[in-house]
């Protein structure tokens, strides 16, 4: 039986000056993620993203966060709910050098090109990041359901 809970989670699309995407490696599960995590009780998606960036990377984004993707994920083996991706800008080499990872939560980070993202993440999450990159270029956020644009 699937998990019927719902969770709001927010992530940040962060790039370097070569337009590569920042991914982090959690210690508590396999694979890579964009920085972010679940919202705490009463916390907005934006507040959750900012808190996670402080906690995971000791980072205050260099730009105001802008919504790129809202993705409704149905419940399954894991909780469903909304997943949000915000644009957190481009990090200078100085900001990259100042990143600090909590060793109990993250074992590393890497900047990867857009075409490498599917090598690091499951297909649904990789599509969400690809959609965020496209939304950034188009200048408008995108709504998804289960990682796909709904064909209404």
């Amino acid at each position: 039986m699937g998990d019927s809970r719902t969770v709001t989670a927010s992530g940040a699309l962060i790039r370097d000056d070569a337009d590569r995407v920042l991914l982090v490696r959690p210690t508590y599960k396999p694979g890579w993620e964009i920085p972010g995590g679940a919202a705490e009780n009463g916390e907005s998606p934006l507040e959750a993203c900012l808190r996670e960036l402080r906690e995971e990377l000791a980072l205050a984004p260099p730009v105001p966060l802008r919504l790129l993707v809202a993705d409704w994920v149905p419940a399954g083996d894991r909780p469903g709910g909304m997943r949000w991706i915000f644009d957190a800008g481009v990090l200078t080499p100085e900001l990259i050098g100042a990143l600090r990872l909590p060793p109990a939560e993250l074992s590393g980070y890497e900047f990867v090109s857009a075409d490498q993202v599917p090598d690091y993440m499951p297909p649904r999450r990789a599509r969400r990041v690809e959609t965020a990159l496209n939304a950034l270029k188009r200048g408008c956020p995108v709504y998804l359901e289960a990682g796909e644009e709904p064909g209404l």
Side-chain angles (χ1 to χ4, degrees):
M1 182 136 148
D3 191 329
S4 63
R5 293 177 299 153
T6 60
V7 172
T8 294
S10 296
L13 183 70
I14 300 171
R15 294 154 340 271
D16 66 5
D17 57 9
D19 209 30
R20 296 177 300 173
V21 176
L22 176 65
L23 300 180
V24 294
R25 182 185 290 237
T27 58
Y28 51 89
K29 64 180 178 179
W32 293 78
E33 299 274 352
I34 59 173
E40 295 178 354
N41 190 29
E43 193 173 46
S44 77
L46 181 62
E47 291 168 332
C49 191
L50 289 168
R51 177 186 48 77
E52 288 286 346
L53 290 175
R54 283 190 308 273
E55 291 176 2
E56 289 187 349
L57 302 173
L59 176 68
V63 297
L65 297 186
R66 231 175 13 121
L67 179 64
L68 295 173
V69 173
D71 188 6
W72 169 251
V73 176
D77 293 337
R78 300 190 61 176
M82 290 302 297
R83 306 297 185 262
W84 306 85
I85 297 181
F86 294 91
D87 174 21
V90 175
L91 299 187
T92 63
E94 294 78 26
L95 286 173
I96 293 169
L99 296 178
R100 298 292 174 262
L101 307 180
E105 192 173 342
L106 299 174
S107 63
Y109 70 88
E110 200 168 316
F111 283 90
V112 303
S113 64
D115 62 337
Q116 291 176 301
V117 169
D119 298 334
Y120 286 77
M121 301 177 137
R124 182 183 293 168
R125 274 188 268 146
R127 280 193 309 273
R128 195 179 299 139
V129 171
E130 179 184 344
T131 301
L133 287 165
N134 289 333
L136 184 65
K137 290 175 191 163
R138 293 189 336 215
C140 68
V142 176
Y143 173 74
L144 303 174
E145 290 190 1
E148 303 281 346
E149 289 191 51
L152 301 176

